[in-house]
Amino acid sequence: GVIRNYENMEASVNEVLRIALKAPTPDRSIDVILEYLGKYLGGERTYIFEQNARGEDDNTYEWVAPGVEPQKGVLQNLPPEVCAHWYEQFRENKHIVIRNLEDIRHIDPLQYDNLKRQDIHSLVVVPLYDDGKVIAFYGVDNPAHDLSFEYTSNMLQIMGYFLVSSLKRRDLVRKLQQMSHCDPLTGLGNRFALEEYVDKVNKSESIGVVYCDISGLKHVNDEQGHLAGDELIRKAGKCIEDTFEGNGLFRVGGDELLVLCPNVKEEVFRQAVDELREKTKECGVAIAIGYVWKEKASDSIDRLMTDAERWMYSDKAAYYKQMGMDRRK
């Protein structure tokens, strides 16, 4: 095979960075780099692993050569002990080179089994650091024989800096996206998130719409101050979240909350509405509820929301009548 020298490496790095920087999103930049490295290093697979909130390892990105079985789907929630030995090395600023899988059979049996199952006989894995802390690791499986392992690990280390910056950019984009879609008080979606959600609803399936209004919010704000009012809104949001988790949950006005339940059976939906009434009573939140269920969402969802809102107002009127109050918000 061809022995590639280090000048060649510099040209290659410049070339891949040029392509990666043109990519429209950080995710795409990462995919471009993994594909380029996989082909350049003659590997069967390149990948990134990141620790999830539970401290397990998830394979978050992957490129595979033609004819190679993708592994990303099965390499989720890896127990920490599988890569524990690797993390020890990373903490000492070392990377992992396995020239022959059989070498680790006795010293790292868990990782041996994990890699053996994937048909890996050699690999190079490099940690990705941010601020001295390991935030991920990435590597190449079964790299080409005509490249030295040292050359391969140098190439991975050089590209590692750019991958770290791509991962950080990705996290920032996610955070900004979440902030732009999220009501900061309740954590529910805002109107912007609602529009996006409605666009994605399958119009040929059933839908349930619940429109809620927190009764007496103005009174609480006037009598006890806005912090107490905010707490009331938060409580109401929590009741909705606990009842309708997994559906579209939104705060669409100061005291108005909305739930969209796509593809739901009518009976299940009505039970959930009853459960919401119970929950809000238990939490001491007075809430007016209007709801509509349709077998097909093809009716304009806007119209269904308006219908649910109308029912909510009649529920609200009944509440005020019962309380002997006039219909103030």
Side-chain angles (χ1 to χ4, degrees):
V2 186
I3 301 293
R4 299 192 181 99
N5 62 20
Y6 281 86
E7 284 163 23
N8 189 330
M9 181 190 283
E10 195 182 329
S12 306
V13 167
N14 288 335
E15 174 63 8
V16 67
L17 288 186
R18 193 180 62 74
I19 303 167
L21 284 165
K22 278 185 175 168
T25 64
D27 279 333
R28 194 66 205 106
S29 291
I30 292 168
D31 288 336
V32 165
I33 289 171
L34 290 183
E35 178 180 356
Y36 190 93
L37 283 172
K39 289 176 175 171
Y40 183 79
L41 298 169
E44 292 188 354
R45 191 167 162 264
T46 49
Y47 44 82
I48 298 180
F49 278 80
E50 298 175 71
Q51 271 191 346
N52 61 31
R54 294 184 301 277
E56 298 159 335
D57 290 298
D58 290 340
N59 184 183
T60 48
Y61 297 87
E62 169 188 68
W63 168 85
V64 293
V68 175
E69 190 70 32
Q71 298 291 329
K72 188 173 143 194
V74 287
L75 293 174
Q76 301 299 318
N77 310 312
L78 280 191
E81 42 280 16
V82 175
C83 297
H85 178 65
W86 285 10
Y87 280 105
E88 278 168 33
Q89 303 285 308
F90 299 156
R91 277 191 284 276
E92 294 174 21
N93 268 326
K94 293 176 180 163
H95 57 274
I96 308 295
V97 175
I98 298 175
R99 289 177 163 77
N100 176 1
L101 185 62
E102 295 309 313
D103 296 345
I104 70 159
R105 184 173 202 152
H106 300 299
I107 50 172
D108 198 353
L110 281 177
Q111 189 63 276
Y112 173 84
D113 291 341
N114 175 40
L115 301 176
K116 181 88 174 161
R117 187 192 58 71
Q118 300 172 59
D119 206 16
I120 294 167
H121 35 82
S122 64
L123 62 71
V124 179
V125 165
V126 166
L128 297 173
Y129 298 99
D130 180 37
D131 228 0
K133 200 168 130 277
V134 178
I135 58 162
F137 64 80
Y138 89 116
V140 56
D141 290 340
N142 304 334
H145 296 304
D146 66 338
L147 290 178
S148 73
F149 282 98
E150 184 195 7
Y151 184 92
T152 299
S153 59
N154 280 335
M155 183 73 172
L156 290 179
Q157 278 165 339
I158 289 168
M159 292 308 303
Y161 297 107
F162 188 77
L163 280 176
V164 168
S165 103
S166 297
L167 289 169
K168 285 169 73 175
R169 230 170 61 237
R170 173 205 67 184
D171 291 346
L172 183 63
V173 168
R174 280 183 188 170
K175 199 170 167 186
L176 291 172
Q177 209 164 14
Q178 201 208 344
M179 281 163 67
S180 72
H181 283 64
C182 193
D183 166 52
L185 184 61
T186 58
L188 304 178
N190 58 16
R191 283 187 175 275
F192 189 48
L194 170 63
E195 277 174 31
E196 276 198 6
Y197 192 90
V198 167
D199 283 344
K200 288 180 185 152
V201 167
N202 182 342
K203 307 293 190 285
S204 62
E205 291 176 346
S206 64
I207 193 162
V209 180
V210 189
Y211 208 105
C212 306
D213 181 285
I214 303 160
S215 308
L217 181 64
K218 184 180 186 312
H219 183 69
V220 171
N221 279 334
D222 293 347
E223 297 291 311
Q224 300 169 46
H226 281 277
L227 284 178
D230 285 354
E231 188 47 40
L232 189 62
I233 296 167
R234 248 197 300 270
K235 268 188 186 170
K238 182 83 174 75
C239 290
I240 279 181
E241 211 167 355
D242 289 348
T243 314
F244 289 100
E245 199 185 359
N247 293 287
L249 314 175
F250 310 94
R251 181 181 176 204
V252 289
D255 52 5
E256 293 174 344
L257 306 170
L258 176 73
V259 182
L260 297 184
C261 300
N263 194 16
V264 67
K265 290 191 167 68
E266 185 174 13
E267 172 192 345
V268 173
F269 175 66
R270 286 181 187 276
Q271 269 173 353
V273 173
D274 290 342
E275 194 184 313
L276 178 63
R277 288 193 200 278
E278 284 307 306
K279 263 205 178 76
T280 49
K281 266 199 201 93
E282 283 166 25
C283 294
V285 179
I287 208 167
I289 297 174
Y291 62 94
V292 182
W293 180 87
K294 272 279 188 296
E295 203 170 337
K296 274 203 172 72
S298 54
D299 283 48
S300 145
I301 291 179
D302 281 345
R303 196 160 76 236
L304 295 179
M305 289 195 267
T306 309
D307 288 350
E309 188 178 10
R310 218 177 37 244
W311 286 112
M312 180 273 290
Y313 278 119
S314 55
D315 194 38
K316 189 170 182 160
Y319 166 80
Y320 282 123
K321 196 171 175 186
Q322 187 189 337
M323 299 293 283
M325 294 157 76
D326 61 35
R327 280 204 48 202
R328 283 179 313 204
K329 280 217 171 185

